[in-house]
Amino acid sequence: MKPLLSIRDLKVHFPIRSGLFGRDLRVVKAVDGVDLDIGEGESVALVGESGCGKSTFGAAILGMQIPTSGRILFDGEEVRHTEAKTRKRLARDIQTVFQDPVSALNPKMSIGESIAEPLAIHGADKAERDRRVAELLGLVGLHPEHATRQPSAFSGGQRQRIVIARALALRPKLLILDEPVSALDVSIRSQILNLLLELQRRFGLSYLLISHDLSVVRHFADRVAVMYLGRLVETGPTDIVFSRPVHPYTEALLSAVPLPDPVAQRARKRIVLSGDLPSPANPPKGCAFVTRCPLAEEICRHTPPPLVDMGGGQMAACHVRAPMGQKMKVNAP
Ligand code: ADP
Ligand code: MG
């Protein structure tokens, strides 16, 4: 598959001042060396606990955060958000859907005006905008006659449909979906996810789905990337990662996802991680997961594990689970 988006060794570090008069300068390594490809028409899920750097990663792709280092390639071209030409192009090709559809829509504008806004910015005339707004409302399962209503007339799920319609207005290639159903009632989450899948098939869209909830990801993403403290610890095809996770962190996350089969559910051990996510301003040396890992060995305390090929398209960064031939030599510091 031809990659639409290629991320190479992306880092986003935030300098923060603390202590008396802000004399201590520390660095929060929100994203700390991530490689990720998203193919044309592919959906990739980025998962991990809250605070592990997922939104910062998405924001860096969008140019809402300036990367500290690394490369972003879109459609084969290096992305430099400082260039007006790049910004204009990406404003069309990459769109976002965030968690909260209430704050995403201007309460003073009719939903038709909100959806037409990106079209107007790109120079569509009134007739063209009206036609496209009606078409987009139909695509997301809403009545085109409702275009004149205010957002407050709609439920949370309907508002997220409106946000999705607006995201599609300029016929983008990639959608960054940051927790798109987390604010919605459980009963309507799958409706929105199914709508997104249907739109993807129809228009060949690529998705980056950001989620702390693995149950959202299972039937949605082709591939999954598991993030921990700013780094990827495991990547692979969703069905493989779900059926045989390699990294103990992935195992722990998956053990919290209910299984459809009650017998399998009863037989399964729930792995509860001890302790909180360490501060990204002061991460453990060695493997970032070492403070919570049930398998940790000596090497994990001082040497960060690289992502290694586990076969079948799966990669994992774990000293203990690395295949024999790919284990690092233990050399104490
Ligand atoms: P997630 O989306 O996975 O919950 P975020 O990307 O929002 O995680 O945050 C990752 C880390 O970076 C957190 O520790 C967060 O506090 C920190 N962070 C995010 N944005 C900023 C910022 N603008 N300045 C300083 N720290 C930030
Ligand atoms: Mg987030």
Side-chain angles (χ1 to χ4, degrees), residues 14 16 28 30 49-57 65 280:
F14 299 111
I16 48 163
V28 175
E49 281 162 289
S50 172
C52 73
K54 306 180 298 295
S55 294
T56 304
F57 181 78
Q65 289 292 355

Side-chain angles (χ1 to χ4, degrees), residues 186-332:
V186 174
S187 58
I188 52 171
R189 285 183 189 172
S190 58
Q191 291 174 21
I192 297 296
L193 293 171
N194 287 335
L195 170 68
L196 287 165
L197 285 175
E198 191 191 308
L199 293 166
Q200 180 186 32
R201 273 192 293 271
R202 198 151 163 182
F203 301 114
L205 297 165
S206 303
Y207 286 156
L208 175 65
L209 171 69
I210 292 174
S211 178
H212 70 280
D213 181 356
L214 270 97
S215 60
V216 162
V217 166
R218 179 187 287 158
H219 301 292
F220 192 89
D222 303 310
R223 280 193 303 127
V224 31
V226 183
M227 196 169 191
Y228 189 80
L229 274 185
R231 293 173 184 221
L232 298 187
V233 297
E234 181 156 6
T235 63
T238 307
D239 49 345
I240 293 180
V241 173
F242 271 73
S243 57
R244 50 176 175 89
V246 171
H247 199 284
Y249 180 59
T250 315
E251 269 181 337
L253 286 182
L254 280 171
S255 80
V257 177
L259 292 172
D261 173 9
V263 179
Q265 175 68 35
R266 254 176 275 129
R268 186 170 63 183
K269 261 206 339 251
R270 170 88 199 259
I271 306 168
V272 180
L273 289 176
S274 58
D276 296 326
L277 193 67
S279 160
N282 188 19
K285 281 203 310 205
C287 176
F289 189 55
V290 69
T291 54
R292 301 163 84 189
C293 183
L295 311 176
E297 294 177 358
E298 185 50 32
I299 186 173
C300 311
R301 285 177 229 293
H302 51 75
T303 309
L307 269 176
V308 299
D309 195 344
M310 303 299 298
Q314 195 174 17
M315 311 267 289
C318 174
H319 290 301
V320 181
R321 294 267 166 89
M324 251 350 200
Q326 302 209 49
K327 276 199 194 292
M328 289 178 82
K329 298 266 183 318
V330 184
N331 47 353

Side-chain angles (χ1 to χ4, degrees), residues 71-273:
R71 301 178 70 199
I72 302 172
L73 293 140
F74 186 77
D75 235 353
E77 264 181 60
E78 182 110 29
V79 171
R80 288 188 199 84
H81 289 290
T82 45
E83 288 174 6
K85 195 179 108 226
T86 303
R87 278 205 306 276
K88 181 148 192 223
R89 161 131 202 256
L90 293 190
R92 184 180 273 274
D93 285 345
I94 307 183
Q95 297 293 325
T96 51
V97 175
F98 292 112
Q99 177 169 345
D100 180 13
V102 175
S103 58
L105 294 168
N106 185 338
K108 298 201 184 82
M109 281 161 84
S110 73
I111 63 156
E113 285 164 345
S114 278
I115 295 169
E117 204 176 26
L119 295 164
I121 291 168
H122 281 78
D125 63 25
K126 174 86 171 79
E128 162 72 9
R129 296 200 301 265
D130 288 350
R131 192 189 59 71
R132 187 85 176 116
V133 166
E135 183 186 15
L136 287 161
L137 283 170
L139 276 176
V140 299
L142 295 172
H143 291 294
E145 313 86 79
H146 293 173
T148 52
R149 298 191 181 177
Q150 307 299 120
S152 56
F154 297 89
S155 69
Q158 287 171 326
R159 287 188 212 194
Q160 201 61 311
R161 287 174 192 267
I162 296 160
V163 171
I164 293 167
R166 186 177 57 185
L168 294 180
L170 297 172
R171 306 181 202 276
K173 294 181 175 165
L174 171 70
L175 255 56
I176 295 184
L177 309 164
D178 192 345
E179 309 275 3
V181 297
S182 300
L184 305 178
D185 281 353
V186 174
S187 58
I188 52 171
R189 285 183 189 172
S190 58
Q191 291 174 21
I192 297 296
L193 293 171
N194 287 335
L195 170 68
L196 287 165
L197 285 175
E198 191 191 308
L199 293 166
Q200 180 186 32
R201 273 192 293 271
R202 198 151 163 182
F203 301 114
L205 297 165
S206 303
Y207 286 156
L208 175 65
L209 171 69
I210 292 174
S211 178
H212 70 280
D213 181 356
L214 270 97
S215 60
V216 162
V217 166
R218 179 187 287 158
H219 301 292
F220 192 89
D222 303 310
R223 280 193 303 127
V224 31
V226 183
M227 196 169 191
Y228 189 80
L229 274 185
R231 293 173 184 221
L232 298 187
V233 297
E234 181 156 6
T235 63
T238 307
D239 49 345
I240 293 180
V241 173
F242 271 73
S243 57
R244 50 176 175 89
V246 171
H247 199 284
Y249 180 59
T250 315
E251 269 181 337
L253 286 182
L254 280 171
S255 80
V257 177
L259 292 172
D261 173 9
V263 179
Q265 175 68 35
R266 254 176 275 129
R268 186 170 63 183
K269 261 206 339 251
R270 170 88 199 259
I271 306 168
V272 180
L273 289 176

